[in-house]
Protein backbone atom coordinates (compact mmCIF):
# COMPACT_ATOMS: atom_id res chain seq x y z
CA UNK A 1 0.00 0.00 0.00
CA UNK A 2 1.16 3.51 -0.87
CA UNK A 3 -0.27 6.73 0.60
CA UNK A 4 0.54 10.29 -0.44
CA UNK A 5 -0.20 13.06 2.06
CA UNK A 6 0.60 16.74 1.72
CA UNK A 7 0.82 19.82 3.94
CA UNK A 8 1.22 23.51 3.06
CA UNK A 9 3.99 25.99 3.80
CA UNK A 10 3.18 29.12 5.74
CA UNK A 11 3.89 32.80 6.22
CA UNK A 12 3.85 34.41 9.64
CA UNK A 13 1.96 37.68 9.28
CA UNK A 14 2.52 38.95 12.83
CA UNK A 15 3.92 37.72 16.14
CA UNK A 16 6.94 35.49 15.40
CA UNK A 17 9.27 35.01 18.39
CA UNK A 18 6.69 36.45 20.81
CA UNK A 19 4.59 33.32 20.12
CA UNK A 20 7.34 31.26 21.79
CA UNK A 21 6.55 33.13 25.06
CA UNK A 22 2.78 32.66 25.10
CA UNK A 23 1.71 35.62 22.98
CA UNK A 24 -0.54 35.09 19.96
CA UNK A 25 0.65 35.05 16.34
CA UNK A 26 -1.20 35.40 13.04
CA UNK A 27 -0.18 32.90 10.42
CA UNK A 28 -1.41 31.84 6.98
CA UNK A 29 -1.00 28.71 4.84
CA UNK A 30 0.35 29.19 1.30
CA UNK A 31 -0.34 27.20 -1.84
CA UNK A 32 3.08 25.58 -1.96
CA UNK A 33 3.10 22.13 -0.41
CA UNK A 34 5.32 19.32 0.81
CA UNK A 35 4.28 15.82 -0.35
CA UNK A 36 5.14 12.72 1.67
CA UNK A 37 4.68 9.31 0.09
CA UNK A 38 4.64 6.37 2.48
CA UNK A 39 4.88 2.79 1.23
CA UNK A 40 4.49 -0.09 3.62
CA UNK A 41 7.28 -2.67 3.92
CA UNK A 42 7.23 -6.21 5.20
CA UNK A 43 10.29 -5.66 7.45
CA UNK A 44 10.95 -2.93 10.05
CA UNK A 45 13.37 -0.83 7.98
CA UNK A 46 12.67 2.90 7.57
CA UNK A 47 14.01 4.21 4.27
CA UNK A 48 13.88 7.93 3.55
CA UNK A 49 14.43 9.56 0.20
CA UNK A 50 14.19 13.29 -0.28
CA UNK A 51 15.72 13.87 -3.68
CA UNK A 52 13.42 16.73 -4.40
CA UNK A 53 14.05 19.02 -1.40
CA UNK A 54 15.10 22.21 -3.07
CA UNK A 55 17.32 24.91 -1.57
CA UNK A 56 16.65 28.61 -2.02
CA UNK A 57 19.72 29.84 -3.79
CA UNK A 58 23.34 29.82 -4.72
CA UNK A 59 25.73 32.68 -3.96
CA UNK A 60 28.81 33.06 -6.09
CA UNK A 61 31.59 35.39 -4.94
CA UNK A 62 34.93 36.13 -6.54
CA UNK A 63 37.84 36.38 -4.13
CA UNK A 64 40.77 37.42 -6.30
CA UNK A 65 40.91 34.69 -8.96
CA UNK A 66 39.07 32.20 -6.84
CA UNK A 67 35.36 31.50 -7.29
CA UNK A 68 33.60 30.78 -4.01
CA UNK A 69 30.31 28.96 -4.25
CA UNK A 70 27.99 28.97 -1.27
CA UNK A 71 24.69 27.16 -1.10
CA UNK A 72 22.06 26.50 1.49
CA UNK A 73 22.35 22.74 0.89
CA UNK A 74 23.04 22.25 4.58
CA UNK A 75 19.39 23.13 5.14
CA UNK A 76 18.29 19.82 3.62
CA UNK A 77 19.92 17.62 6.27
CA UNK A 78 17.88 18.88 9.22
CA UNK A 79 14.72 18.26 7.16
CA UNK A 80 15.62 14.56 7.13
CA UNK A 81 15.82 14.57 10.94
CA UNK A 82 12.17 15.72 11.06
CA UNK A 83 11.07 12.76 8.93
CA UNK A 84 12.82 10.24 11.14
CA UNK A 85 11.45 11.78 14.35
CA UNK A 86 7.95 12.02 12.84
CA UNK A 87 7.93 8.26 12.19
CA UNK A 88 9.31 7.47 15.66
CA UNK A 89 6.75 9.67 17.48
CA UNK A 90 3.81 8.47 15.35
CA UNK A 91 4.83 4.81 15.87
CA UNK A 92 4.85 5.38 19.61
CA UNK A 93 1.50 7.20 19.55
CA UNK A 94 -0.24 4.51 17.50
CA UNK A 95 1.57 1.61 19.11
CA UNK A 96 2.69 0.25 15.72
CA UNK A 97 6.21 -0.35 14.56
CA UNK A 98 6.39 -1.23 10.90
CA UNK A 99 8.95 -0.49 8.23
CA UNK A 100 8.20 2.11 5.61
CA UNK A 101 9.66 3.80 2.55
CA UNK A 102 9.17 7.56 2.72
CA UNK A 103 9.70 9.85 -0.22
CA UNK A 104 9.45 13.62 0.16
CA UNK A 105 8.78 16.16 -2.57
CA UNK A 106 8.71 19.89 -2.08
CA UNK A 107 7.18 22.74 -4.05
CA UNK A 108 9.12 25.31 -2.03
CA UNK A 109 12.69 25.95 -0.96
CA UNK A 110 13.69 24.53 2.43
CA UNK A 111 15.17 26.68 5.17
CA UNK A 112 13.69 29.92 3.81
CA UNK A 113 11.29 30.46 6.73
CA UNK A 114 8.24 29.11 4.92
CA UNK A 115 7.59 26.43 7.52
CA UNK A 116 8.99 23.54 5.50
CA UNK A 117 10.17 21.58 8.56
CA UNK A 118 6.70 21.58 10.05
CA UNK A 119 5.14 20.64 6.69
CA UNK A 120 7.66 17.79 6.31
CA UNK A 121 6.87 16.49 9.82
CA UNK A 122 3.09 16.82 9.45
CA UNK A 123 2.81 15.28 5.96
CA UNK A 124 5.02 12.38 7.10
CA UNK A 125 2.86 11.79 10.20
CA UNK A 126 -0.36 11.76 8.11
CA UNK A 127 1.10 9.46 5.43
CA UNK A 128 2.69 7.05 7.93
CA UNK A 129 -0.49 6.83 10.02
CA UNK A 130 -2.64 6.26 6.93
CA UNK A 131 -0.41 3.55 5.49
CA UNK A 132 -0.83 1.75 8.82
CA UNK A 133 -4.62 2.12 8.64
CA UNK A 134 -5.14 5.15 10.92
CA UNK A 135 -6.82 8.39 9.97
CA UNK A 136 -5.73 11.08 12.42
CA UNK A 137 -7.56 14.38 13.01
CA UNK A 138 -5.73 17.60 11.95
CA UNK A 139 -5.46 18.70 15.63
CA UNK A 140 -3.96 15.32 16.58
CA UNK A 141 -1.44 15.62 13.73
CA UNK A 142 -0.63 19.20 14.81
CA UNK A 143 0.11 18.05 18.38
CA UNK A 144 2.33 15.20 17.18
CA UNK A 145 4.06 17.55 14.73
CA UNK A 146 4.79 19.99 17.54
CA UNK A 147 6.40 17.16 19.55
CA UNK A 148 8.59 16.39 16.54
CA UNK A 149 9.67 20.05 16.20
CA UNK A 150 10.49 20.30 19.90
CA UNK A 151 12.46 17.04 19.81
CA UNK A 152 14.51 18.12 16.77
CA UNK A 153 15.06 21.80 17.44
CA UNK A 154 14.74 22.19 21.21
CA UNK A 155 12.45 25.20 21.56
CA UNK A 156 9.49 25.65 19.19
CA UNK A 157 6.06 27.21 19.39
CA UNK A 158 3.02 25.31 18.08
CA UNK A 159 2.54 27.92 15.32
CA UNK A 160 4.01 26.21 12.25
CA UNK A 161 2.66 22.74 12.98
CA UNK A 162 -0.81 24.21 13.70
CA UNK A 163 -1.10 26.13 10.43
CA UNK A 164 0.27 23.35 8.25
CA UNK A 165 -2.19 20.90 9.84
CA UNK A 166 -5.32 23.10 9.86
CA UNK A 167 -4.60 25.41 6.90
CA UNK A 168 -6.32 28.74 6.16
CA UNK A 169 -5.63 31.78 8.35
CA UNK A 170 -5.08 31.20 12.08
CA UNK A 171 -4.42 32.99 15.31
CA UNK A 172 -2.27 30.61 17.37
CA UNK A 173 -1.47 30.88 21.03
CA UNK A 174 -0.08 28.54 23.67
CA UNK A 175 -1.69 29.50 26.93
CA UNK A 176 -2.32 27.63 30.20
CA UNK A 177 -0.83 24.42 28.78
CA UNK A 178 -3.21 24.38 25.83
CA UNK A 179 -2.88 25.38 22.19
CA UNK A 180 -5.54 27.83 20.99
CA UNK A 181 -6.05 27.67 17.23
CA UNK A 182 -8.62 30.25 16.15
CA UNK A 183 -9.51 30.73 12.45
CA UNK A 184 -9.37 34.39 11.36
CA UNK A 185 -11.97 35.73 8.98
CA UNK A 186 -10.46 37.74 6.16
CA UNK A 187 -12.70 39.69 3.79
CA UNK A 188 -10.49 40.44 0.81
CA UNK A 189 -7.40 38.74 -0.56
CA UNK A 190 -4.25 40.02 1.08
CA UNK A 191 -1.97 41.51 -1.59
CA UNK A 192 1.38 40.25 -0.30
CA UNK A 193 4.72 40.07 -2.07
CA UNK A 194 7.38 37.80 -0.57
CA UNK A 195 11.08 38.51 -1.02
CA UNK A 196 13.88 36.15 -0.02
CA UNK A 197 17.46 36.95 0.88
CA UNK A 198 20.01 34.32 1.78
CA UNK A 199 19.84 33.04 5.32
CA UNK A 200 22.74 33.72 7.68
CA UNK A 201 21.43 31.91 10.74
CA UNK A 202 19.16 29.02 11.62
CA UNK A 203 15.80 29.30 13.41
CA UNK A 204 17.23 27.52 16.43
CA UNK A 205 20.01 30.14 16.74
CA UNK A 206 17.65 33.07 16.41
CA UNK A 207 15.30 31.63 19.06
CA UNK A 208 18.31 31.08 21.35
CA UNK A 209 19.50 34.65 20.77
CA UNK A 210 16.15 36.09 21.88
CA UNK A 211 16.08 33.78 24.91
CA UNK A 212 19.56 34.91 25.91
CA UNK A 213 18.70 38.61 25.63
CA UNK A 214 15.48 38.09 27.52
CA UNK A 215 17.40 36.37 30.33
CA UNK A 216 19.90 39.22 30.50
CA UNK A 217 17.41 42.10 30.27
CA UNK A 218 14.03 40.64 31.23
CA UNK A 219 12.40 44.02 31.88
CA UNK A 220 13.40 45.36 28.44
CA UNK A 221 12.96 42.33 26.20
CA UNK A 222 9.89 41.20 28.11
CA UNK A 223 8.24 44.50 27.22
CA UNK A 224 9.20 44.22 23.55
CA UNK A 225 7.58 40.78 23.38
CA UNK A 226 4.51 42.11 25.18
CA UNK A 227 4.23 44.97 22.67
CA UNK A 228 4.39 42.49 19.79
CA UNK A 229 1.47 40.70 21.46
CA UNK A 230 -0.54 43.96 21.45
CA UNK A 231 0.27 44.56 17.76
CA UNK A 232 -1.01 41.07 16.94
CA UNK A 233 -4.42 41.78 18.52
CA UNK A 234 -4.72 45.09 16.63
CA UNK A 235 -3.60 43.47 13.38
CA UNK A 236 -6.27 40.80 13.80
CA UNK A 237 -8.94 43.53 13.88
CA UNK A 238 -7.38 45.35 10.89
CA UNK A 239 -7.36 42.07 8.92
CA UNK A 240 -11.02 41.42 9.62
CA UNK A 241 -11.98 44.94 8.54
CA UNK A 242 -9.60 44.95 5.53
CA UNK A 243 -7.92 48.11 6.75
CA UNK A 244 -4.73 47.81 4.68
CA UNK A 245 -3.37 51.22 5.74
CA UNK A 246 -3.45 50.23 9.40
CA UNK A 247 -2.20 46.75 8.64
CA UNK A 248 0.82 48.27 6.86
CA UNK A 249 1.57 50.53 9.82
CA UNK A 250 1.36 47.58 12.18
CA UNK A 251 3.69 45.53 9.94
CA UNK A 252 6.25 48.36 10.12
CA UNK A 253 5.90 48.51 13.90
CA UNK A 254 6.26 44.73 14.21
CA UNK A 255 9.40 44.85 12.06
CA UNK A 256 10.88 47.62 14.23
CA UNK A 257 10.37 45.44 17.32
CA UNK A 258 11.89 42.38 15.63
CA UNK A 259 14.86 44.57 14.80
CA UNK A 260 14.97 45.61 18.48
CA UNK A 261 14.97 41.92 19.46
CA UNK A 262 18.06 41.54 17.30
CA UNK A 263 16.76 39.09 14.69
CA UNK A 264 16.82 41.30 11.61
CA UNK A 265 19.84 41.75 9.35
CA UNK A 266 21.12 44.58 7.21
CA UNK A 267 19.91 42.80 4.05
CA UNK A 268 16.45 42.23 5.49
CA UNK A 269 16.23 45.86 6.62
CA UNK A 270 17.29 47.07 3.17
CA UNK A 271 14.65 44.91 1.53
CA UNK A 272 11.99 46.20 3.93
CA UNK A 273 12.94 49.83 3.19
CA UNK A 274 13.12 49.28 -0.58
CA UNK A 275 9.64 47.73 -0.61
CA UNK A 276 8.20 50.59 1.45
CA UNK A 277 9.86 53.26 -0.69
CA UNK A 278 8.54 51.64 -3.88
CA UNK A 279 4.97 51.82 -2.59
CA UNK A 280 4.29 49.00 -0.12
CA UNK A 281 1.88 50.01 2.65
CA UNK A 282 4.09 48.14 5.08
CA UNK A 283 6.85 45.52 5.13
CA UNK A 284 8.44 43.27 7.72
CA UNK A 285 10.66 40.26 8.03
CA UNK A 286 8.71 37.04 8.45
CA UNK A 287 9.80 33.97 10.38
CA UNK A 288 12.81 33.60 12.58
CA UNK A 289 15.02 36.20 10.86
CA UNK A 290 18.77 36.14 10.39
CA UNK A 291 17.99 36.40 6.65
CA UNK A 292 15.13 34.59 4.96
CA UNK A 293 11.87 36.18 3.92
CA UNK A 294 10.29 39.63 3.98
CA UNK A 295 6.59 40.22 3.36
CA UNK A 296 5.35 43.46 1.83
CA UNK A 297 1.73 44.56 1.76
CA UNK A 298 1.19 45.95 -1.73
CA UNK A 299 -2.39 46.82 -2.69
CA UNK A 300 -1.15 49.06 -5.55
CA UNK A 301 2.08 49.60 -7.58
CA UNK A 302 2.78 45.86 -7.40
CA UNK A 303 5.02 45.76 -10.50
CA UNK A 304 7.13 48.60 -9.17
CA UNK A 305 7.60 47.05 -5.73
CA UNK A 306 8.42 43.66 -7.23
CA UNK A 307 10.98 45.19 -9.59
CA UNK A 308 12.62 47.20 -6.81
CA UNK A 309 12.90 44.04 -4.69
CA UNK A 310 14.44 42.10 -7.59
CA UNK A 311 16.93 44.88 -8.34
CA UNK A 312 17.99 44.69 -4.69
CA UNK A 313 18.93 41.09 -5.46
CA UNK A 314 16.22 39.23 -3.63
CA UNK A 315 14.20 36.34 -5.02
CA UNK A 316 10.53 37.28 -5.30
CA UNK A 317 7.77 34.74 -4.76
CA UNK A 318 4.08 35.06 -5.43
CA UNK A 319 1.66 32.75 -3.74
CA UNK A 320 -2.02 32.36 -3.02
CA UNK A 321 -2.92 32.48 0.64
CA UNK A 322 -5.19 30.38 2.80
CA UNK A 323 -4.48 26.92 1.36
CA UNK A 324 -6.00 23.75 2.79
CA UNK A 325 -4.19 22.05 5.70
CA UNK A 326 -2.84 18.49 5.80
CA UNK A 327 -4.68 16.07 3.52
CA UNK A 328 -4.44 12.60 2.06
CA UNK A 329 -3.96 13.06 -1.68
CA UNK A 330 -3.75 9.49 -2.93
CA UNK A 331 -4.10 5.91 -1.70
CA UNK A 332 -2.76 3.16 -3.99
CA UNK A 333 -3.21 -0.50 -3.19
CA UNK A 334 -0.82 -2.80 -5.02
O1 LIG B 1 11.66 29.07 11.21
P1 LIG B 1 10.58 29.96 10.81
O2 LIG B 1 11.05 30.99 9.88
O3 LIG B 1 9.35 29.25 10.37
O4 LIG B 1 10.12 30.82 12.09
C1 LIG B 1 9.98 30.32 13.36
C2 LIG B 1 9.11 31.23 14.16
C3 LIG B 1 9.57 31.49 15.57
O5 LIG B 1 8.52 32.19 16.20
C4 LIG B 1 10.81 32.35 15.58
C5 LIG B 1 9.87 30.21 16.34
C6 LIG B 1 8.66 29.37 16.67
O6 LIG B 1 8.86 28.18 17.01
O7 LIG B 1 7.52 29.87 16.64
Amino acid sequence: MRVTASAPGKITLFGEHAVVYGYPALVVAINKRIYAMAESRSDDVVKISAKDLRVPGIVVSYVGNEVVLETDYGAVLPAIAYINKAIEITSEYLGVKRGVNIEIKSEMPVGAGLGTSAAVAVSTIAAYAAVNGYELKPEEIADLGWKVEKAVQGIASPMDTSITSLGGFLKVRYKDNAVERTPISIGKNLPLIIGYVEREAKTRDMVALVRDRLNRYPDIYGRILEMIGIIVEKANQALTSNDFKQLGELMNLNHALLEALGVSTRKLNELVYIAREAGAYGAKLTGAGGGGCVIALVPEKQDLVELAMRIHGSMVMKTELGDEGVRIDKVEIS
Side-chain angles (χ1 to χ4, degrees):
M1 183 162 162
R2 213 170 127 94
V3 175
T4 306
S6 66
K10 68 98 220 283
I11 294 169
T12 312
L13 300 175
F14 290 91
E16 50 274 269
H17 285 289
V19 69
V20 175
Y21 299 93
Y23 295 103
L26 305 181
V27 62
V28 56
I30 60 175
N31 72 339
K32 302 263 183 290
R33 305 180 76 86
I34 296 270
Y35 291 85
M37 264 161 310
E39 191 175 28
S40 44
R41 293 176 64 109
S42 47
D43 54 20
D44 61 0
V45 173
V46 173
K47 190 172 154 199
I48 297 169
S49 88
K51 292 180 203 143
D52 196 36
L53 278 187
R54 289 181 287 133
V55 292
I58 291 179
V59 183
V60 185
S61 19
Y62 296 90
V63 185
N65 288 332
E66 202 189 336
V67 181
V68 183
L69 207 60
E70 291 164 62
T71 70
D72 291 342
Y73 275 98
V76 172
L77 277 181
I80 307 287
Y82 289 90
I83 303 169
N84 203 19
K85 233 342 154 210
I87 293 169
E88 191 186 305
I89 286 179
T90 313
S91 287
E92 229 169 74
Y93 181 71
L94 299 174
V96 289
K97 185 151 178 35
R98 277 189 220 127
V100 66
N101 294 330
I102 298 274
E103 198 182 319
I104 300 285
K105 291 199 168 155
S106 171
E107 292 176 342
M108 55 194 153
V110 286
L114 298 174
T116 39
S117 347
V120 162
V122 157
S123 54
T124 303
I125 293 167
Y128 182 70
V131 89
N132 283 300
Y134 295 89
E135 200 183 320
L136 301 177
K137 290 195 207 77
E139 288 79 4
E140 251 177 321
I141 299 177
D143 288 340
L144 290 172
W146 188 25
K147 270 194 188 163
V148 173
E149 281 219 316
K150 283 189 285 189
V152 177
Q153 67 192 47
I155 316 169
S157 79
M159 177 175 72
D160 286 12
T161 38
S162 294
I163 191 68
T164 192
S165 301
L166 275 73
F169 286 78
L170 283 184
K171 177 167 131 182
V172 180
R173 181 173 205 175
Y174 181 64
K175 206 180 152 196
D176 304 329
N177 291 323
V179 184
E180 292 171 12
R181 303 179 178 108
T182 322
I184 315 169
S185 65
I186 301 221
K188 263 192 273 171
N189 267 347
L190 261 191
L192 286 187
I193 296 182
I194 309 166
Y196 171 79
V197 291
E198 95 205 66
R199 200 115 190 237
E200 293 159 28
K202 295 196 190 77
T203 298
R204 177 207 286 252
D205 302 332
M206 301 319 286
V207 172
L209 179 143
V210 173
R211 168 140 303 184
D212 176 58
R213 292 188 174 191
L214 180 64
N215 284 341
R216 287 196 291 135
Y217 300 101
D219 42 355
I220 299 175
Y221 284 91
R223 287 200 174 103
I224 297 175
L225 295 168
E226 194 185 325
M227 272 197 280
I228 294 178
I230 299 172
I231 291 172
V232 168
E233 296 296 0
K234 292 219 184 302
N236 196 2
Q237 291 160 12
L239 267 175
T240 313
S241 57
N242 286 306
D243 187 339
F244 290 156
K245 278 261 180 280
Q246 196 192 0
L247 213 51
E249 279 169 11
L250 293 168
M251 281 168 81
N252 292 344
L253 253 175
N254 195 164
H255 181 77
L257 294 174
L258 287 163
E259 159 77 355
L261 284 181
V263 298
S264 192
T265 63
R266 180 175 166 167
K267 280 189 185 152
L268 286 173
N269 289 347
E270 278 170 8
L271 191 54
V272 160
Y273 274 91
I274 281 164
R276 288 180 198 161
E277 278 162 17
Y281 282 24
K284 68 182 273 293
L285 75 85
T286 177
C293 291
V294 159
I295 47 171
L297 182 66
V298 196
E300 51 189 305
K301 298 190 191 160
Q302 285 178 2
D303 291 348
L304 206 65
V305 175
E306 204 184 312
L307 183 68
M309 288 166 87
R310 282 195 203 279
I311 290 173
H312 168 259
S314 79
M315 250 170 64
V316 175
M317 285 175 259
K318 281 203 174 143
T319 167
E320 309 248 310
L321 304 178
D323 218 44
E324 193 185 343
V326 66
R327 65 173 185 229
I328 301 291
D329 293 286
K330 215 187 320 173
V331 178
E332 295 158 275
I333 299 167
S334 50

